[in-house]
Amino acid sequence: SGVLIFLAFPGWNLHPLAWFGLVPLLVATQGATPRRGFWLGLLAGTVTNAGGFHWMTVMLQEFGHLPAPVTWAILGLQAVTQGLAMAVGIGLWRWLVARGAPSAPSAFLALWAGEAAVPMIFPWFLGNAISPELPMIQIAELGGVALVSALLYAANVALAELVAGVWRG
């Protein structure tokens, strides 16, 4: 999921991946404890941010005159910090389900909340990935990029529920 999501963003321009990039993470964490969900979310979020912000290393070397190992350490710290959004979302989802909440609605709300609640050095939203899809981003006029993200989270959760249902037989 981490790779699929960062490939959806500008620079890689595989924006259709945003519609289903979280499905592997959501399926993999079905039935997970909140703690395991958090850690798997952190792994996916860290990969997403490391891939999405890989350009930081070159920028810091060129303009900050920092040695490569320092720039990679900064990228790693930034990726883990911003990866917390996905970790919080998946961990919260698993926590809600463990307390009796229905899986699909709580996954949607928890992922969306994770994106909104975790402060970021370089803010990004899942909805930014589909900026080239002009018909799909028109809802931004009603609720900004957060509403576009909500649309993508809903699609990912619905597809994950479908895949998990088929998987279970």
Side-chain angles (χ1 to χ4, degrees):
S1 283
V3 171
L4 293 175
I5 295 301
F6 82 67
L7 289 175
F9 278 85
W12 304 98
N13 297 322
L14 299 172
H15 55 89
L17 294 176
W19 293 97
F20 59 87
L22 291 171
V23 171
L25 177 62
L26 290 164
V27 171
T29 54
Q30 290 234 340
T33 64
R35 170 180 263 156
R36 182 161 173 76
F38 177 88
W39 288 110
L40 288 172
L42 184 61
L43 175 61
T46 299
V47 169
T48 295
N49 283 281
F53 292 97
H54 68 282
W55 52 266
M56 283 180 51
T57 59
V58 174
M59 180 197 66
L60 290 169
Q61 288 173 39
E62 292 290 321
F63 299 109
H65 307 290
L66 296 173
V70 172
T71 66
W72 284 100
I74 292 169
L75 174 62
L77 180 61
Q78 182 270 344
V80 170
T81 303
Q82 293 199 176
L84 285 170
M86 215 173 280
V88 167
I90 296 294
L92 178 59
W93 169 46
R94 299 315 311 156
W95 184 84
L96 290 167
V97 170
R99 277 144 189 80
S103 182
S106 60
F108 165 75
L109 291 172
L111 285 167
W112 201 24
E115 179 176 274
V118 175
M120 295 193 188
I121 297 167
F122 298 108
W124 64 271
F125 299 89
L126 186 57
N128 295 130
I130 65 166
S131 60
E133 299 177 24
L134 296 179
M136 300 310 296
I137 64 168
Q138 295 306 304
I139 62 169
E141 288 204 22
L142 301 174
V145 70
L147 191 55
V148 180
S149 289
L151 176 66
L152 291 169
Y153 286 127
N156 275 274
V157 168
L159 287 171
E161 289 291 314
L162 179 66
V163 169
V166 169
W167 190 278
R168 286 190 294 264

